[in-house]
């Protein structure tokens, strides 16, 4: 993890390849009654990217970003980093608010509000989130947006990771 102030030692790290791995890992941790942490970029200033004697769901292998330039939308997997988003969007001359550090995870950034370099013009990262796919605490895979589960969509934008595990994000591009 990025913040060396936290020297935590999980019992198990699960490298997730998709949302079904996240759901299965969450179910395992819940049934085993152990702490759980989610790691994308591992930059959590509060140390939430790891835990002691629990399960870390590592989303770093879920890092694809695709861009629909015509619709000005970027779709990022839950483990994508700023560098992944920037590479995909800059290749077509588009951008959105993201972190200044290339190794910051997009999900953690966005769920925490998302201060970034384009913020003064386009708002925080959470302001540019159009939708997200997530696994809820009970293991259901849901889509959240202004039209689908709008209360949950409102809650995750700046509310942190308390409502489930985000496995994909969709951003407005400029």
């Amino acid at each position: 993890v990025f913040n060396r102030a936290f020297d935590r030692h999980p019992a198990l790290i699960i490298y997730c390849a998709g949302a079904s791995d996240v759901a299965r890992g969450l179910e395992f941790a819940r049934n085993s009654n152990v702490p759980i942490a989610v790691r994308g970029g591992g930059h959590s200033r509060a140390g939430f990217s790891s835990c002691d004697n629990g399960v870390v769901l590592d989303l770093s292998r879920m890092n694809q970003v695709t861009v629909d330039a015509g619709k000005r939308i970027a779709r990022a997997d839950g483990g994508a980093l700023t560098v992944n988003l920037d590479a995909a969007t800059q290749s077509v001359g588009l951008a959105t608010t993201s972190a200044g550090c290339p190794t910051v995870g997009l999900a953690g950034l966005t769920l925490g509000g998302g201060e970034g370099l384009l913020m003064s013009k386009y708002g925080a990262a959470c302001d540019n989130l159009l939708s997200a796919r997530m696994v809820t605490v009970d293991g259901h895979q849901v889509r959240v947006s202004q039209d689908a589960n709008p209360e949950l969509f409102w809650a995750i934008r700046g509310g942190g990771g308390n409502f489930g595990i985000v496995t994909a994000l969709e951003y407005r591009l400029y």
Side-chain angles (χ1 to χ4, degrees), residues 89-114:
T89 57
Q90 289 173 9
S91 70
V92 293
L94 297 171
T96 194
T97 303
S98 62
C101 176
T103 58
V104 167
L106 295 175
L109 171 80
T110 305
L111 298 180

Side-chain angles (χ1 to χ4, degrees), residues 23 33 46 67 159 163 166:
N33 198 29
V67 173
F163 304 100
V166 172

